[in-house]
Amino acid sequence: MEIREVIPMGRREENEQKKEYLMGYQMASRQLARLQEELYELRMNKIAPSATHDGMPHSGGGSDLSDYAAKVDELEKKIMKARYRKIQTLKKIRDRIEVLKSENEKDVLVYRYIRGMKWEDIAVKMGYTWQHVHKIHSRALKNFKRCD
């Protein structure tokens, strides 16, 4: 028979919000990767813009190309701003984890929410039982302070 800690409803909801906040790291990482791919593609197309056109000559004495370059620059700036915001999100979450006093609590949160590891893998890596890792996780959530 397994003994489970009974968590009051208010704290359970708070823990769920903390988990969601921490899971934001993985989401922001994926978004950042997509933004970086988009930026790379933009820059590649900027180097060889003819690859993005239909290959047909256009009139206008080069204005099509300058309009294209201006639009690419504008889009590049937008992507760079979005990248910066995602990097700030990642930093905030990491900084909040680093404030914890317990190294075990930091490890569990980093392994689970930053690296996206499975509970079993965390237990093996830390040399604890699966149940002990969950106890550490519970304490970590209790001690974790979000900053919104």
Side-chain angles (χ1 to χ4, degrees), residues 21 26 37-38 42 71-72 74 88-89 91 99 102 130 132 140 142:
Y21 176 79
Q26 291 289 320
E37 288 171 6
E38 191 175 345
L42 257 181
K71 287 178 184 176
V72 168
E74 182 182 325
Q88 289 302 105
T89 299
K91 184 179 177 342
V99 169
S102 167
W130 184 86
H132 191 70
K142 184 178 176 184

Side-chain angles (χ1 to χ4, degrees), residues 25-41 79 82-83 86-87 90:
Y25 190 95
Q26 291 289 320
M27 186 180 357
S29 290
R30 289 193 312 269
Q31 292 167 341
L32 180 59
R34 284 194 307 271
L35 288 168
Q36 286 174 276
E37 288 171 6
E38 191 175 345
L39 187 57
Y40 174 77
E41 290 170 6
I79 292 170
R83 266 182 82 224
K86 295 302 170 196
I87 290 168
L90 298 177

